[in-house]
Amino acid sequence: MLILPSVAIGQERTDTLKTESGLSAEEICSQLTLEEKASQMVQGAYYNLSTSDMKNNCYGSVLSYGYPCFSHSEWMTFVRDYQEAALSNSTGIPFIY
């Protein structure tokens, strides 16, 4: 399948996606400090990352694997808790899981 860009080469894109806050990704990134931008590129390992680490450092993603084996509800709780911590930090950016 060939996917073509929706904007021709040399043409300026005018349809920018907005977040719930009404800001585009570019606008959000322009407001981040260099430290926050760097933190967004960090993928902390879940076995060495607390929810307070997530809240205080605004990491961009969490690495996990199947040990220990959590139940479905435990995984849902784990992801929800980390997502709530990510959303409550200064950037308000959700993490990628």
Side-chain angles (χ1 to χ4, degrees):
M1 172 191 279
L2 177 63
I3 300 175
L4 300 174
S6 62
V7 177
I9 295 174
Q11 181 182 3
E12 188 173 328
R13 185 176 179 150
T14 58
D15 61 327
T16 304
L17 295 175
K18 300 284 185 173
T19 63
E20 288 181 9
S21 66
L23 299 174
S24 68
E26 291 82 8
E27 292 167 329
I28 292 170
C29 287
S30 73
Q31 295 176 4
L32 297 177
T33 66
L34 184 57
E35 183 177 307
E36 289 169 334
K37 289 174 184 175
S39 291
Q40 282 296 307
M41 295 189 288
V42 171
Q43 181 177 41
Y46 84 96
Y47 52 83
N48 202 25
L49 179 70
S50 69
T51 54
S52 62
D53 291 334
M54 178 63 82
K55 180 177 181 175
N56 296 331
N57 299 299
C58 56
Y59 296 132
S61 64
V62 174
L63 171 68
S64 65
Y65 63 96
Y67 182 79
C69 296
F70 293 139
S71 68
H72 175 352
S73 63
E74 289 171 325
W75 276 117
M76 294 294 291
T77 299
F78 167 82
V79 172
R80 185 188 64 243
D81 291 348
Y82 278 79
Q83 196 64 275
E84 287 174 358
L87 291 171
S88 68
N89 70 34
S90 61
T91 66
I93 299 173
F95 80 97
I96 298 172
Y97 180 74

